[in-house]
């Protein structure tokens, strides 16, 4: 068996402290939540919250009760620092969305922004479903491939980003339905963009600079296959 090197993409994102590391960035997030019914009594979970840009935005703009969870300890430290600096009562948890210690039916809204490709999707969606209140909403901005990929290309992208799997639109719908979600809606890629934020670590592994360049090359090389969609569904 050939052992492939572990992807360092999430190390790059965390050490560079990239905020808004999802297609459309914070501007797409803002646009999506404009049409959701959030109030200051809502409870919201940001899955794979990264440096906490979205969690902080939702807490400060809507006065809502926000929790963020992320598996990467550097991301968690940067998100906690952001909340402290801005005096925001956002709870940041270090852990995996595949299995959490959070109670059933806790949240009115759960959001995942470019997270589910990195995880075991059925496991994570089962957990997200468990955590949502009845009638709660799940919103996901996630990579969606336009067509099945050639094995070699699939391997190259998976290995570089550390993705667990790729899904086309129809695969996402099947995954949501299997988890129990209903009223599944899909919005097309809206060509909204934002400039990402950076919160650099004091020391950054030199190879991560090369990785950043490779990431931009990969984006260009595979822009015709690596698309995204905004999914929303109800428990
Ligand atoms: C592409 S980044 C997106 C971060 C953030 N949502 C944003 O838009 O800026 C993916 C994030 O998912 C987190 N992640 C990956 N696997 C996870 C898991 N099993 N549970 C929770 N977070 C995870 C990574 O650590 C990383 O912060």
């Amino acid at each position: 068996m050939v052992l492939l090197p572990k992807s360092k993409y999430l190390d790059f994102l965390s050490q560079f402290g990239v905020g808004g590391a999802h297609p459309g960035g914070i501007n797409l997030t803002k646009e999506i939540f404009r049409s959701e019914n959030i109030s200051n009594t809502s409870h919201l979970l940001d899955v794979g919250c990264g440096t906490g840009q979205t969690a902080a935005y939702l807490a400060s703009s809507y006065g809502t009760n926000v929790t963020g969870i992320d598996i990467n300890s550097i991301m968690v430290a940067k998100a906690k620092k952001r909340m402290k600096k801005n005096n925001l009562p956002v709870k940041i948890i270090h852990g995996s969305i595949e299995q959490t210690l959070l109670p059933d039916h806790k949240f009115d809204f759960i959001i995942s922004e470019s997270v589910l490709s990195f995880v075991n999707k059925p496991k994570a969606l089962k957990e997200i479903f468990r955590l949502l209140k009845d009638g709660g909403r799940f919103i996901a901005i996630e990579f969606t491939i336009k067509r099945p990929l050639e094995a070699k290309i699939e391997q190259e992208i998976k290995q570089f980003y550390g993705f667990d799997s790729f899904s086309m639109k129809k695969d996402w719908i099947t995954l949501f339905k299997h988890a129990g979600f209903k009223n599944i809606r899909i919005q097309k890629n809206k060509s909204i963009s934002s400039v990402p934020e950076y919160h650099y670590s004091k020391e950054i592994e030199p190879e991560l600079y090369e990785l950043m360049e490779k990431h931009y090359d990969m984006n260009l090389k595979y822009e015709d296959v690596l698309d995204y969609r905004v999914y929303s569904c109800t428990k």
Side-chain angles (χ1 to χ4, degrees), residues 93-171:
I93 300 170
H94 186 201
S96 173
I97 189 54
E98 291 176 4
Q99 192 176 11
T100 75
L101 296 174
L102 292 161
D104 294 356
H105 313 299
K106 181 169 169 57
F107 298 98
D108 303 281
F109 293 92
I110 299 186
I111 181 163
S112 78
E113 298 180 308
S114 193
V115 178
L116 298 183
S117 299
F118 296 94
V119 307
N120 177 310
K121 288 172 183 156
K123 244 177 143 177
L125 287 169
K126 190 173 170 206
E127 185 67 354
I128 288 168
F129 192 81
R130 179 182 77 75
L131 297 174
L132 267 180
K133 288 182 186 167
D134 290 338
R137 305 262 299 140
F138 175 50
I139 297 159
I141 305 173
E142 295 291 351
F143 280 114
T144 301
I145 53 169
K146 289 183 182 167
R147 53 176 184 274
L149 302 179
E150 243 178 68
K152 206 172 140 227
I153 294 178
E154 174 163 342
Q155 191 54 31
E156 184 190 352
I157 304 176
K158 257 190 184 171
Q159 202 182 320
F160 181 78
Y161 288 105
F163 285 163
D164 184 80
S165 60
F166 292 103
S167 305
M168 293 191 291
K169 231 166 29 177
K170 66 175 176 49
D171 306 319

Side-chain angles (χ1 to χ4, degrees), residues 10 13 20-22 48-50 70-72 75 95-97 113-115 118-119:
L10 290 180
L13 286 183
H22 59 272
C49 62
D70 203 286
I71 202 164
N72 181 296
M75 291 294 201
S96 173
I97 189 54
E113 298 180 308
S114 193
V115 178
F118 296 94
V119 307

Side-chain angles (χ1 to χ4, degrees), residues 26 31 97 177 220:
I26 191 70
E31 150 108 14
I97 189 54
K177 281 189 179 159
L220 279 179

